[in-house]
Amino acid sequence: MIFKRLLKLPVIVNRLYRRNYYSDNIKKLYFDKINTYISQINKNENDDEGSKIFNNLMNDYNFVSNSIAEIEKETSPENKVDEEMMTLMNEEKIKLENEKSEIIDKIFNEIYEYEQSKDSERISGNSDCIFEISAGVGGKEAMLFADELCTMYNNYFNYKNWELDSVDTDRSDGVYLRHYKATVKGHFVWDHLRYEIGVHRVQRIPKTESKGRIHTSTVTLACIPITHRHSVEINDKDLKIDTKRASGAGGQHVNTTESAVRITHLPSSIQVECQEDRSQIKNREIAMRKLREILVDRQIKETFDKYLKTRKSQVGHANRNEKIRTYNFNQDRLTDHRLSSQNESKGTIFNLESFFQNPERLDDFIEILRRADRERELLSILEKL
Amino acid sequence: MLKSVFNLKTFQKSLSLTNLPLNQRFSIKAIDIFHNKLEQLKKENVTEPENSLELIFAHVLNKKLLREVRGKSLEKLTLTDEETQKIDDCVLCRLSRMPTQYILKNWEFRDLELNMKIPVFIPRPETEELIELVTQKIDPKPEDDCKVLEVGCGSGAISLSLLNELPNLKTIVAIDQSKTACELTLENAKKLNLADRIRIFKHKVDSDKLPDEITMNGKFDCIISNPPYVPKKDLLKLDPEIYLYEDLRALDGGEDGLDVINILLKLASKYLKKGGSLWLEVDHRHPEIIEKIVEMNQDDWKLKYAACYKDIFKKERFVEIEKV
């Protein structure tokens, strides 16, 4: 356990270096708007907390920029400063510039958090999720790729110390992965996995291909946040239980070994069957558990669909039909279409094998997506002003 | 022509070279045997042919789940000679209408796997629900000295399930008129490590008196029974599996199926503590009649008809009677 944590240390250090969250472009463009934004919040007298935070940050900012201005004044050609002093001043200036950009980052972050906290319907990033992988177009090749993705994400969950629950694997012929479903529990699961939702496309020469042609197949990844403690009440009256014993006098009059049970939930007309066990009462328990799982799943999906309908689909906002990423094995690269639409080089990374084997790389990539999403959301907030 | 003869000779040679036993050289496909036997069973109109076969296959091949001997998994299985022989024997028994539970020699009841022996009554799934009801109503605390009596224990299903599910229940007294049943209950109790908490007596309840050795520890908090309740006229209509193999004393409830139930009511009035209860599994036509009998003898017996519960097939199956 400790060893595992220690291994992650370089990654964390690396992350600290990257504190510079937002690109300089957006900082220059929108810094004026921040003033308008903060003055708006100050006007809103109900919100003391918010204005306090922003005012403190603004004070810091003014202090730093004043210092910078002073240094600039002193180093200006009119004041004849000796060279030694000049270098010292310049070092000081660079330090202050860095500090300034950090403060701006903080202000941006606070604006983002502030806007998010105002949104009452927001799904907490800390929510657990139902995670699903299904093979799409491409037959066996799609299933093979689904399997590879599945292994990659499982490594990732492991790396993140997330727990898996009620894992359900459906393989055709016991080999090819048709569908995989699991409940993922842990720290900020939704915040990370939401950017993976969508269609993952793969281009390569499949192992099953004899003529060396490149195939394109797809795998769909879905992730549904569990926002409430969903519970389903199943009314006995709503159930129709069918067994081989149902007819006749029953009890001592009948001796059967047929233990298959079929339960029909009348309001939803869901049917579950179980004939796994020799004992009927066990089969009934298993069938009831299955039914309950299906109903809870359904409820979670409904809540999420409702949530989706109320807002536009956007990056990381879970449009299951959106093509988000292409893995091109021949060129040994992967391209994220959401990132590359903004900046060609940003959305592409190379060396797929190491990407599939090192969960750190996936984590870094998700971090980039998170940042891009934040930036985009901030832009839209500030543009409205 | 010559060539083909030559080929045949080399083929024979290669056969004799392999010193493997016959069954491994020509491993028998399980699915072929399965279909062959299924045909036989269907021809003889044996009830539940598929299910019986699946159970027999699972039993012989030592598989826990039925899906391991079904569909795709079955296609992959091969049988050794010994296994084929065993399956043959089992199917032969089934052809003579022996209940599958007797062929397998064990069967599940709730969480327990009980041994089965001809002609001891095979526990039915409805009785599993009786345990569910009773365990909800009586749940003794560690300091309680709760006394329970079971009349007609058969394979021990009810008593052993109660002991298994109520760890604070110290002992149960179980009685049965059949010596084989008493022995089987003891055998199952030993198998499940419950033998030190059960006292078994061979006794036939034909009057409202119990022998002193059974009642010496005082009155009971609970009497539970799955008494014979099949009316005499129904007996002949039962499947041959039941009337040929099962002990009819466990089924035959006399003219209207109430013979033993009447005795049990009297026993309950005499040997239950105040507030104690009698739990019965009965025919779905009985609860009404029992309610009337109890009401008529209220002054005499001091019993109260407390409730009637349905089984999952929505048939009135279980009766709870209280001593007041």
Side-chain angles (χ1 to χ4, degrees):
Chain A
M1 189 66 199
I2 292 171
F3 186 64
K4 209 173 162 190
R5 292 241 180 236
L6 274 179
L7 276 180
K8 280 184 196 168
L9 201 65
V11 183
I12 295 166
V13 173
N14 191 14
R15 200 137 308 145
L16 286 175
Y17 275 118
R18 290 196 322 219
R19 279 300 282 280
N20 229 339
Y21 230 83
Y22 303 100
S23 56
D24 289 336
N25 263 345
I26 175 179
K27 281 182 194 166
K28 267 177 210 148
L29 268 173
Y30 287 98
F31 191 70
D32 295 341
K33 294 233 172 154
I34 289 180
N35 276 323
T36 350
Y37 184 84
I38 290 174
S39 60
Q40 257 183 24
I41 286 176
N42 281 338
K43 262 185 237 156
N44 188 350
E45 282 172 14
N46 295 330
D47 197 8
D48 279 343
E49 283 276 320
S51 57
K52 212 173 165 188
I53 293 169
F54 285 118
N55 285 336
N56 279 342
L57 280 172
M58 276 322 271
N59 285 343
D60 286 352
Y61 175 79
N62 287 335
F63 179 74
V64 172
S65 48
N66 282 342
S67 312
I68 291 176
E70 249 169 59
I71 290 174
E72 269 171 1
K73 212 193 222 169
E74 279 182 38
T75 53
S76 65
E78 293 109 68
N79 296 341
K80 280 174 187 157
V81 199
D82 59 68
E83 232 168 81
E84 212 176 305
M85 198 63 179
M86 192 75 168
T87 36
L88 273 177
M89 290 272 201
N90 272 338
E91 268 173 27
E92 181 76 14
K93 194 183 154 194
I94 291 167
K95 217 171 117 194
L96 283 171
E97 291 278 7
N98 275 342
E99 219 169 288
K100 184 177 156 190
S101 102
E102 250 171 53
I103 291 172
I104 300 175
D105 274 346
K106 268 188 198 159
I107 295 173
F108 274 125
N109 271 339
E110 284 303 331
I111 293 175
Y112 180 79
E113 293 296 336
Y114 185 74
E115 285 290 322
Q116 293 282 300
S117 67
K118 277 205 302 199
D119 184 351
S120 59
E121 268 181 63
R122 191 179 76 104
I123 295 174
S124 153
N126 207 1
S127 307
D128 298 337
C129 289
I130 299 174
F131 176 80
E132 276 180 273
I133 292 179
S134 0
V137 188
K140 279 183 185 168
E141 157 69 356
M143 292 183 197
L144 283 174
F145 188 63
D147 211 351
E148 281 161 46
L149 279 185
C150 189
T151 317
M152 177 177 84
Y153 284 109
N154 269 311
N155 284 340
Y156 182 62
F157 299 154
N158 203 1
Y159 164 77
K160 281 285 192 188
N161 272 331
W162 291 341
E163 272 174 49
L164 288 185
D165 200 5
S166 51
V167 179
D168 183 25
T169 323
D170 175 19
R171 284 175 191 278
S172 102
D173 297 341
V175 184
Y176 301 102
L177 187 79
R178 206 182 287 153
H179 185 85
Y180 175 87
K181 197 189 106 195
T183 309
V184 189
K185 292 176 182 171
H187 256 310
F188 290 91
V189 174
W190 170 241
D191 223 11
H192 289 83
L193 290 184
R194 56 197 277 203
Y195 303 109
E196 302 300 290
I197 299 167
V199 175
H200 294 235
R201 199 168 64 152
V202 60
Q203 290 174 319
R204 65 177 171 189
I205 305 167
K207 281 176 197 152
T208 49
E209 164 72 43
S210 53
K211 286 177 189 158
R213 283 173 297 199
I214 296 177
H215 286 218
T216 302
S217 323
T218 64
V219 171
T220 307
L221 206 144
C223 189
I224 297 150
I226 304 167
T227 42
H228 312 263
R229 278 197 171 276
H230 290 271
S231 65
V232 188
E233 258 188 47
I234 299 177
N235 213 328
D236 272 351
K237 279 177 202 157
D238 293 341
L239 295 179
K240 194 172 147 244
I241 300 174
D242 296 314
T243 62
K244 279 284 157 75
R245 281 179 80 84
S247 57
Q252 292 176 355
H253 289 77
V254 193
N255 175 21
T256 77
T257 50
E258 175 75 71
S259 57
V261 173
R262 184 173 64 217
I263 300 180
T264 317
H265 186 244
L266 297 171
S268 62
S269 67
I270 293 175
Q271 264 191 5
V272 280
E273 266 184 17
C274 183
Q275 44 183 348
E276 268 170 45
D277 207 277
R278 294 201 326 197
S279 145
Q280 194 176 76
I281 214 165
K282 289 249 178 68
N283 277 336
R284 218 159 73 211
E285 271 167 29
I286 297 169
M288 279 303 278
R289 209 173 335 141
K290 275 192 204 163
L291 177 67
R292 204 171 285 273
E293 263 173 32
I294 293 173
L295 287 174
V296 169
D297 265 21
R298 208 180 241 215
Q299 219 179 58
I300 291 170
K301 276 182 191 163
E302 268 168 23
T303 328
F304 188 53
D305 280 346
K306 234 183 249 165
Y307 163 83
L308 282 185
K309 261 181 205 161
T310 57
R311 48 189 67 208
K312 277 188 209 156
S313 98
Q314 38 197 209
V315 180
H317 277 264
N319 184 353
R320 241 175 285 173
N321 307 316
E322 185 190 18
K323 186 181 76 189
I324 60 158
R325 208 172 286 163
T326 299
Y327 302 77
N328 189 319
F329 278 80
N330 286 32
Q331 293 164 21
D332 197 24
R333 62 161 173 89
L334 81 93
T335 305
D336 194 284
H337 303 295
R338 296 163 298 184
L339 290 175
S340 63
S341 64
Q342 299 167 5
N343 183 337
E344 192 66 47
S345 62
K346 204 171 148 197
T348 302
I349 58 172
F350 292 92
N351 196 350
L352 281 178
E353 203 189 324
S354 103
F355 186 79
F356 273 86
Q357 272 163 12
N358 302 318
E360 300 89 23
R361 288 199 69 191
L362 176 60
D363 201 35
D364 287 348
F365 199 64
I366 289 176
E367 191 60 38
I368 295 172
L369 285 162
R370 278 175 79 183
R371 218 186 305 167
D373 187 41
R374 234 171 215 235
E375 210 169 283
R376 200 192 35 73
E377 207 143 287
L378 264 175
L379 281 177
S380 73
I381 293 168
L382 295 176
E383 255 163 11
K384 270 183 217 149
L385 292 172
Chain B
M1 187 63 194
L2 257 174
K3 210 176 180 182
S4 65
V5 169
F6 179 72
N7 272 347
L8 196 70
K9 272 195 174 162
T10 47
F11 176 64
Q12 277 174 341
K13 218 177 183 179
S14 70
L15 261 188
S16 59
L17 275 175
T18 51
N19 288 324
L20 293 163
L22 200 73
N23 57 0
Q24 282 181 34
R25 239 184 300 152
F26 304 110
S27 54
I28 308 151
K29 275 192 179 163
I31 191 149
D32 296 336
I33 302 274
F34 191 92
H35 287 303
N36 179 355
K37 298 289 172 199
L38 188 62
E39 207 108 301
Q40 278 184 36
L41 290 173
K42 277 185 177 164
K43 217 171 172 185
E44 298 292 324
N45 283 326
V46 175
T47 51
E48 305 178 315
E50 276 110 346
N51 187 251
S52 305
L53 259 189
E54 279 171 5
L55 286 166
I56 288 170
F57 268 69
H59 168 70
V60 170
L61 298 175
N62 243 331
K63 307 278 187 202
K64 272 229 156 117
L65 295 173
L66 287 182
R67 69 169 128 89
E68 293 175 74
V69 292
R70 199 180 274 149
K72 283 245 163 68
S73 323
L74 181 66
E75 283 171 22
K76 288 179 195 149
L77 291 174
T78 52
L79 300 174
T80 62
D81 261 7
E82 203 188 334
E83 284 165 346
T84 322
Q85 187 57 45
K86 272 190 194 164
I87 287 173
D88 264 352
D89 295 345
C90 290
V91 172
L92 215 58
C93 290
R94 192 71 194 99
L95 280 169
S96 57
R97 306 304 296 264
M98 188 193 280
T100 316
Q101 293 97 327
Y102 288 148
I103 299 173
L104 309 182
K105 298 192 178 66
N106 61 57
W107 195 246
E108 272 89 10
F109 184 82
R110 291 179 75 86
D111 299 328
L112 310 177
E113 195 189 90
L114 300 171
N115 290 349
M116 295 287 132
K117 203 194 264 170
I118 300 175
V120 182
F121 180 76
I122 298 164
R124 310 285 199 257
E126 281 89 344
T127 315
E128 294 182 298
E129 287 174 83
L130 177 63
I131 308 295
E132 191 80 54
L133 287 170
V134 175
T135 47
Q136 276 166 17
K137 285 283 167 105
I138 53 166
D139 189 11
K141 292 185 187 75
E143 66 274 14
D144 288 352
D145 184 24
C146 184
K147 293 194 186 71
V148 178
L149 168 72
E150 190 200 350
V151 179
C153 54
S155 58
I158 295 178
S159 290
L160 297 177
S161 285
L162 286 178
L163 287 174
N164 182 45
E165 285 170 49
L166 303 172
N168 293 328
L169 186 59
K170 289 195 187 87
T171 55
I172 280 189
V173 179
I175 58 178
D176 203 295
Q177 59 177 313
S178 146
K179 198 179 158 217
T180 334
C182 290
E183 282 165 5
L184 184 61
T185 301
L186 187 64
E187 184 185 320
N188 280 324
K190 278 180 183 160
K191 177 179 155 188
L192 300 164
N193 282 329
L194 296 168
D196 52 337
R197 291 163 65 199
I198 188 166
R199 291 164 59 216
I200 306 160
F201 297 97
K202 183 189 170 298
H203 172 73
K204 183 178 160 105
V205 283
D206 44 12
S207 69
D208 58 352
K209 258 199 180 149
L210 287 173
D212 291 341
E213 47 179 3
I214 296 172
T215 56
M216 64 183 181
N217 285 339
K219 292 188 172 179
F220 295 99
D221 297 86
C222 173
I223 299 177
I224 179 167
S225 179
N226 175 13
Y229 58 70
V230 180
K232 244 204 172 84
K233 58 177 179 355
D234 285 1
L235 276 179
L236 290 172
K237 291 186 227 155
L238 299 176
D239 279 338
E241 274 86 353
I242 299 175
Y243 72 71
L244 285 178
Y245 289 92
E246 285 191 290
D247 193 340
L248 287 185
R249 290 178 293 176
L251 300 158
D252 182 2
E255 210 52 54
D256 45 10
L258 288 165
D259 282 10
V260 182
I261 293 172
N262 274 320
I263 299 172
L264 280 170
L265 290 172
K266 283 176 204 156
L267 281 178
S269 108
K270 204 164 166 186
Y271 293 107
L272 270 183
K273 282 182 192 164
K274 240 183 210 175
S277 52
L278 168 70
W279 288 87
L280 296 174
E281 180 186 319
V282 297
D283 191 274
H284 61 102
R285 291 156 288 193
H286 285 157
E288 272 180 78
I289 310 172
I290 295 173
E291 187 173 8
K292 271 182 204 147
I293 298 175
V294 172
E295 243 168 55
M296 266 162 51
N297 296 293
Q298 204 168 14
D299 300 337
D300 238 8
W301 290 350
K302 304 267 186 310
L303 290 179
K304 198 184 106 202
Y305 182 89
C308 163
Y309 303 90
K310 285 181 179 165
D311 62 17
I312 53 155
F313 312 112
K314 316 248 154 95
K315 291 219 158 76
E316 303 201 319
R317 180 68 62 194
F318 313 105
V319 173
E320 183 190 5
I321 289 159
E322 238 170 62
K323 169 90 191 212
V324 286

